[in-house]
């Protein structure tokens, strides 16, 4: 436990040093932890605990939590505090519907803009994701899967839709962590590879079809009768895997 706390504090010190404000450091740490399912839905985010971890005052913490609430990553409950959002089954369906709409739109620009280097980068992500999956490194697998989809948005060059997709992919991670027994990204290697191959072939119809099938596969893996519970301490959950 002592080793975990020391490693966590080293991480927090690095984040605070690298960010302009404590608020940004808190936002960065929490979104990173959510994207790797280290902070599951329903986890309580105590103001004092975050203030102590990030060596800042509670006003900084409140501002960070307020920003995270606008991103739908955090829920602020009167008289109870802040919690990592717990999407309902209806919200889960809405998130996937929104992702389909946005990723279909982005696909059209990806086809036009993608370079050979973009293709090489995505293939490298797929290889790294396969290595993480084989090693049972779920946080890395989740991080790489999200990075793959966000790279598509970057290629498309629409910063507004990229911002929306960034929020939606975080919410997807929360949904999968809450309602999927497997606890992984469920992004099959061949599905991502097929998407890259469609981009390389400039096959717009196939790209849209594969993205739809991919998101449908993720959504079909959800079991709304199953819901995980928060675990461990906030300090342990915020720690990055390579510090463990």
């Amino acid at each position: 436990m002592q080793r975990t706390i020391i490693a966590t504090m080293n991480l927090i010190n690095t984040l605070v040093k690298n960010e302009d404000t404590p608020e940004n450091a808190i936002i960065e740490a929490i979104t990173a932890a959510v994207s790797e399912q280290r902070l599951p839905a329903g986890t309580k985010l105590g103001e004092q605990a975050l203030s102590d971890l990030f060596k800042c005052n509670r006003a900084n913490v409140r501002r960070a939590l307020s920003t995270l609430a606008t991103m739908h990553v955090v829920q602020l409950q009167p008289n109870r505090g802040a919690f990592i959002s717990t999407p309902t089954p209806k919200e889960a369906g809405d998130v996937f519907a929104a992702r389909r709409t946005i990723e279909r739109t982005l696909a059209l620009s990806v086809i036009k803009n993608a370079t050979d280097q973009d293709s090489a980068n995505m293939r490298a992500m797929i290889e790294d994701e396969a290595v993480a999956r084989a090693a049972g490194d779920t946080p890395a697998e989740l991080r790489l899967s999200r990075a793959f989809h966000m790279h598509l948005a970057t290629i498309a060059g629409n910063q507004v839709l990229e911002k929306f997709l960034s929020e939606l992919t975080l919410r997807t991670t929360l949904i999968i962590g809450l309602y999927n027994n497997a606890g992984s990204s469920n992004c099959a290697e061949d599905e991502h590879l097929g998407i890259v191959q469609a981009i390389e072939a400039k096959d717009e119809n196939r790209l849209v079809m594969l993205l739809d099938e991919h998101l449908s596969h993720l959504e079909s893996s959800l079991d709304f009768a199953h819901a995980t519970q928060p675990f461990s301490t906030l300090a342990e959950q915020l720690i990055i895997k390579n510090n463990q």
Side-chain angles (χ1 to χ4, degrees):
M1 176 66 72
Q2 184 64 27
R3 180 184 175 188
T4 297
I5 293 173
I6 292 172
T8 301
M9 294 309 301
N10 288 338
L11 167 62
I12 299 305
N13 289 336
T14 300
L15 286 169
V16 172
K17 182 178 179 181
N18 290 341
E19 297 292 337
D20 294 332
T21 66
E23 291 97 313
N24 287 341
I26 294 168
I27 292 166
E28 173 70 20
I30 290 176
T31 53
V34 166
S35 73
E36 296 179 2
Q37 289 183 355
R38 288 183 281 109
L39 277 177
T43 302
K44 183 173 177 60
L45 303 172
E47 286 186 8
Q48 190 60 54
L50 288 170
S51 176
D52 292 343
L53 283 170
F54 287 87
K55 299 179 180 178
C56 64
N57 62 52
R58 293 177 69 159
N60 297 122
V61 173
R62 292 189 193 104
R63 285 192 289 269
L65 293 176
S66 178
T67 298
L68 289 163
T70 66
M71 298 164 62
H72 303 283
V73 173
V74 165
Q75 292 173 330
L76 302 177
Q77 300 183 15
N79 303 317
R80 292 195 63 212
F83 299 80
I84 297 296
S85 294
T86 303
T88 65
K90 171 64 165 59
E91 289 170 337
D94 289 346
V95 166
F96 277 98
R99 278 196 64 173
R100 285 189 189 89
T101 299
I102 288 176
E103 295 203 43
R104 284 172 189 157
T105 301
L106 291 172
L108 307 182
S109 296
V110 171
I111 287 286
K112 297 175 184 176
N113 298 343
T115 65
D116 290 343
Q117 186 58 55
D118 289 324
S119 178
N121 291 341
M122 286 186 288
R123 285 179 175 272
M125 288 180 186
I126 293 169
E127 291 178 4
D128 290 343
E129 190 178 349
V131 170
R133 184 182 297 109
D137 188 349
T138 299
E141 180 189 352
L142 288 160
R143 182 174 63 251
L144 289 162
S145 175
R146 180 169 182 255
F148 178 87
H149 287 270
M150 291 311 304
H151 191 60
L152 292 175
T154 300
I155 294 170
N158 187 319
Q159 293 184 351
V160 175
L161 291 182
E162 184 175 358
K163 181 178 179 180
F164 288 152
L165 187 62
S166 179
E167 175 188 312
L168 290 170
T169 52
L170 274 176
R171 296 175 74 180
T172 300
T173 303
L174 278 173
I175 290 164
I176 291 172
L178 183 62
Y179 295 117
N180 186 330
N181 284 309
S184 68
S185 71
N186 273 348
C187 288
E189 180 181 357
D190 58 342
E191 291 181 356
H192 279 174
L193 181 59
I195 289 168
V196 173
Q197 290 171 335
I199 293 170
E200 292 170 341
K202 304 293 184 183
D203 191 334
E204 182 180 297
N205 292 333
R206 180 165 178 74
L207 176 58
V208 171
M209 180 191 73
L210 289 175
L211 284 169
D212 276 355
E213 289 180 352
H214 181 49
L215 292 173
S216 294
H217 169 225
L218 292 177
E219 188 173 13
S220 68
S221 72
L222 304 179
D223 177 5
F224 295 116
H226 167 79
T228 59
Q229 297 297 320
F231 57 90
S232 191
T233 67
L234 181 59
E236 290 171 318
Q237 288 165 298
L238 280 172
I239 192 169
I240 292 177
K241 185 165 181 69
N242 60 19
N243 282 333
Q244 292 178 324

